[in-house]
């Protein structure tokens, strides 16, 4: 890495990480984990992914792996969220997530063509369903972890965000999404 790169890398925590080619890229929904690293774990465990592909964002706590369709938010030494991207709606440069998805020990089919009905068949009914003119978001709540499954208006999968603490744990966010159910779930 050159001098200029070091100056602009800021506090990129991943800059010296070395990817482990023996670790398969997969997300396990039963564990809320990317390559075995759970949301809430120390983010240093993600060193197996190698350096993030956007050093400036990494210095601000966003580890972006554009080629793998993955974005990880880190803070206070922990993994705060993991986003799997199949459709790069904001043209940020993400390729579709090429990894395997698992649930209860089984590989499950998820991709840009996955329809809402298929998501519901895999995961069941969401705790909350939000819909506007642009997208549908299915919220699944698991105590201190939330899944936000984003679908295009026509009903196909865009991305999945797995985060802690849940966005809907915030009363203002529940109001903004028009949630009428009691919290916590």
């Amino acid at each position: 890495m050159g001098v200029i790169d070091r100056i602009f890398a800021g506090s990129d925590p991943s800059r010296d990480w070395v990817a482990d080619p023996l670790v398969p890229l997969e997300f396990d929904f039963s564990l809320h984990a990317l390559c075995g690293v759970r949301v809430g774990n120390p983010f240093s465990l993600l060193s197996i992914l190698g350096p993030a592909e956007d050093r400036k964002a990494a210095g601000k706590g966003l580890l972006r792996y554009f080629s793998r369709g993955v974005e990880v938010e880190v803070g206070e030494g922990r993994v705060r969220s993991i986003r799997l991207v199949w459709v790069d709606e904001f043209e940020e440069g993400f390729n579709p997530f090429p990894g395997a998805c698992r649930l209860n020990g089984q590989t499950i089919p998820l991709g840009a063509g996955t329809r809402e009905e298929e998501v519901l068949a895999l995961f069941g009914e969401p705790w909350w369903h939000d819909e506007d003119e642009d997208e549908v978001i299915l919220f699944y709540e698991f105590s201190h972890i939330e899944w936000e499954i984003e679908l295009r208006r026509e009903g196909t999968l865009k991305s999945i965000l797995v985060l802690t603490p849940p966005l809907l744990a915030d009363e203002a966010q529940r109001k903004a999404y028009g949630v009428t159910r009691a919290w916590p779930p």
Side-chain angles (χ1 to χ4, degrees), residues 92-110:
E92 297 170 286
F94 286 99
N95 289 336
F97 178 71
C101 292
R102 301 182 60 74
L103 179 67
N104 300 324
Q106 302 293 317
T107 299
I108 58 173
L110 289 177

Side-chain angles (χ1 to χ4, degrees), residues 22-127:
L22 299 177
V23 175
L25 182 63
E26 70 176 25
F27 191 86
D28 189 324
F29 285 91
S30 299
L31 300 175
H32 317 288
L34 176 67
C35 301
V37 181
R38 297 174 186 227
V39 171
N41 278 165
F43 76 83
S44 60
L45 296 175
L46 289 170
S47 64
I48 57 176
L49 295 177
E53 296 168 13
D54 180 343
R55 292 186 178 256
K56 188 174 182 181
K60 297 177 183 176
L62 285 177
L63 305 180
R64 292 180 169 157
Y65 296 91
F66 297 114
S67 64
R68 297 181 188 146
V70 173
E71 180 179 73
V72 179
E73 181 185 4
V74 300
E76 299 176 8
R78 305 249 170 230
V79 174
R80 288 187 174 171
S81 70
I82 299 169
R83 181 170 68 125
L84 309 177
V85 178
W86 284 275
V87 175
D88 186 5
E89 69 176 321
F90 300 115
E91 298 179 3
E92 297 170 286
F94 286 99
N95 289 336
F97 178 71
C101 292
R102 301 182 60 74
L103 179 67
N104 300 324
Q106 302 293 317
T107 299
I108 58 173
L110 289 177
T114 304
R115 302 206 48 78
E116 182 174 357
E117 301 78 36
E118 295 170 284
V119 170
L120 296 174
L122 289 167
F123 299 125
E125 289 296 318
W127 184 80

Side-chain angles (χ1 to χ4, degrees), residues 1-13 15 54-60:
M1 178 187 303
V3 173
I4 299 295
D5 288 337
R6 287 199 186 276
I7 291 170
F8 290 106
S11 59
D12 174 2
R15 73 178 166 265
D54 180 343
R55 292 186 178 256
K56 188 174 182 181
K60 297 177 183 176

Side-chain angles (χ1 to χ4, degrees), residues 162-185:
V162 178
L163 67 151
T164 188
L167 178 72
L168 294 184
D170 181 332
E171 184 177 353
Q173 290 294 333
R174 289 194 305 277
K175 284 182 182 178
Y177 280 100
V179 174
T180 57
R181 298 181 71 181
W183 187 270

